[in-house]
Amino acid sequence: MKNATILSIIGANCPTKTLSPVADIARAHNLHLAYLAVGAIPQFPNFGVGMLPYGSPVVPDTWQESVQQVNADLKAKLDEVEAMLAKEGLSGDVSSVYAEPAGLAELVSWRAKVCDLALICNGLRGEPQTFKNVLHGLLFNSATPVVINDSAGVKTLSAKNILVAWNTSLPASRAVKRAIPLLKQAENVTIACFDPKMSELADGENPGSDVGKWLTRHGCNVTVEQHPSGGKEIATCILARAAEVGAELVVAGAYGHSRLRENLFGGTTASLSEQTDVAVFMAH
């Protein structure tokens, strides 16, 4: 990904040492590293605001202190990142956003709209709602692909073996198209279809062969596979096959079903985003 802008979404608890290994790759590919520190502040306590007749509302001191603390923690983290960028002599910028959890999705997406790839630091998993809102904001409110479980982006940007979880859904197609720069530099690309519907009006008579031919024209070394799930969750099958072929990165479409359905009943995207062992490149 030559000359790309890589956005890293970090929190105050994200260890700076986990971000620095990308330095050599950034120099080799002339990358611009953008860091966005996010923090969730407590919801404004409307029920706790008192006001006398003709007087001004009284905001609880604890809420104001929480806002100030979040701001201070994020500034301290950004100072660390700026020092790291200066030490390594890298092109980059730092910024921060903090809001109530529900407001983070839109704020994060605004920065991501002018980036080529977004990485979410696993340090944000300590605040599950913040992690979820950031992921949803990137997937649904920006056109930027997202990588999880690779805080510095080293696995993603240097992956030699990549597994593509393929079906004929629009999210899967978008994910593969946005991953082409990474797929072209990989040594091996495995196209894996799980429980494919082998018909002309579904996944094709030879599922995966069409996308395999397309990627081959881009210079990719492609292997196409079809696998039955055997009743297992598709996400479990994807992760197992990724381990078997030694894939450093999985490319998958996100939310082929609605978010409501996956929130209620679970799904492949939910399972892939909850695991922390395998780097996953996603797009919706």
Side-chain angles (χ1 to χ4, degrees):
M1 297 185 73
K2 290 281 186 181
N3 306 316
T5 296
I6 309 298
L7 175 65
S8 293
I9 312 296
I10 62 176
N13 296 323
C14 185
T16 305
K17 65 180 181 180
T18 66
L19 306 176
S20 56
V22 77
D24 291 338
I25 296 175
R27 276 190 287 268
H29 294 276
N30 193 34
L31 302 179
H32 181 83
L33 304 180
Y35 291 91
L36 180 64
V38 302
I41 60 177
Q43 184 174 356
F44 188 79
N46 300 299
F47 60 88
V49 176
M51 185 172 66
L52 296 173
Y54 308 107
S56 301
V58 179
V59 179
D61 291 339
T62 54
W63 184 81
Q64 296 185 71
E65 291 170 359
S66 296
V67 174
Q68 293 170 355
Q69 186 62 53
V70 169
N71 191 25
D73 291 343
L74 294 181
K75 184 179 184 305
K77 176 54 60 179
L78 291 182
D79 288 343
E80 290 181 20
V81 174
E82 281 189 319
M84 183 268 289
L85 290 172
K87 178 182 177 182
E88 299 289 349
L90 300 174
S91 171
D93 64 78
V94 299
S95 55
S96 64
V97 294
Y98 55 99
E100 294 177 1
L104 288 175
E106 190 65 31
L107 293 173
V108 168
S109 71
W110 273 103
R111 183 65 184 91
K113 287 175 181 177
V114 290
C115 297
D116 299 285
L117 180 68
L119 311 170
I120 303 180
C121 178
N122 267 3
L124 287 180
R125 289 186 182 274
E127 302 175 37
Q129 195 59 44
T130 297
F131 180 89
K132 193 172 187 178
N133 287 336
V134 167
L135 178 60
H136 286 178
L138 292 170
L139 288 174
F140 291 97
N141 298 341
S142 77
T144 307
V146 184
V147 172
I148 59 172
N149 302 329
D150 187 15
S151 297
V154 174
K155 295 178 185 177
T156 303
L157 298 172
S158 61
K160 298 303 180 184
N161 290 284
I162 300 177
L163 178 86
V164 175
W166 175 253
N167 56 33
T168 54
S169 69
L170 184 57
S173 177
R174 285 174 174 160
V176 173
K177 286 181 179 180
R178 292 167 187 170
I180 282 180
L182 301 174
L183 298 173
K184 289 172 67 175
Q185 69 186 31
E187 294 177 358
N188 299 289
V189 176
T190 301
I191 307 294
C193 305
F194 297 92
D195 288 344
K197 298 177 181 178
M198 298 184 181
S199 70
E200 184 178 351
L201 298 179
D203 294 323
E205 295 179 357
N206 186 14
S209 62
D210 48 359
V211 69
K213 292 176 183 177
W214 172 47
L215 291 177
T216 299
R217 295 189 190 102
H218 279 285
C220 300
N221 181 29
V222 178
T223 301
V224 177
E225 304 175 344
Q226 293 125 14
H227 300 281
S229 67
K232 297 179 182 178
E233 288 189 358
I234 298 300
T236 300
C237 297
I238 292 172
L239 296 173
R241 189 58 187 151
E244 290 168 357
V245 301
E248 297 102 330
L249 180 68
V250 169
V251 173
Y255 291 104
H257 301 298
S258 70
R259 274 186 289 176
L260 176 60
R261 175 174 169 174
E262 293 226 5
N263 286 336
L264 292 175
F265 305 109
T268 301
T269 306
S271 297
L272 288 177
S273 63
E274 288 167 2
Q275 60 84 32
T276 58
D277 297 324
V278 179
V280 182
F281 177 109
M282 293 187 288
H284 174 70

